[in-house]
Amino acid sequence: MTNWRAVFVGFLIATVFGIVGLVVPGVGQLAAGLLGGFVAGYMAGGGIGSGVWHGLLAGSLGGIIGGLLLAVAVGLAGLALGPLGGAISGAAGIGIFLLAVTISIVMALESAVAGAVGAAVSS
């Protein structure tokens, strides 16, 4: 059974450290995903499989919400630029979708590995 409290706490930690990690692009987001997945796996416990699952959920949730925020930002920028901005943001929509999916997959995988480590430590 999924421990949604562990997933939510892992997601919050990844989000907060991801925002702080903007100072060190790339490394900050990587560390944030690892830390969030570790905490989710540690809190969930129950073995390595459970840690992988909870870390995966925490990381993918962060990636999905990050992608949605990126899409909203581009949409608002397109809206502010009028008809030309709408055409530009519409053309960029496919790229934004692919970027959001890629970010979500990377965050989910790194968080899943960290979740397995967290669950192993808690056992």
Side-chain angles (χ1 to χ4, degrees), residues 12-114:
L12 284 178
I13 288 173
T15 301
V16 169
F17 278 91
I19 291 169
V20 172
L22 289 174
V23 175
V24 185
V27 176
Q29 277 67 38
L30 178 65
L34 290 173
L35 187 60
F38 179 85
V39 169
Y42 184 83
M43 285 182 67
I48 292 175
S50 175
V52 167
W53 175 248
H54 288 87
L56 182 83
L57 287 176
S60 62
L61 184 62
I64 290 168
I65 291 179
L68 287 174
L69 291 175
L70 179 64
V72 168
V74 170
L76 290 175
L79 183 64
L81 295 175
L84 180 61
I88 293 170
S89 66
I94 294 173
I96 293 168
F97 174 74
L98 292 176
L99 179 67
V101 168
T102 303
I103 289 170
S104 182
I105 289 171
V106 168
M107 286 184 74
L109 291 177
E110 70 172 350
S111 294
V113 170

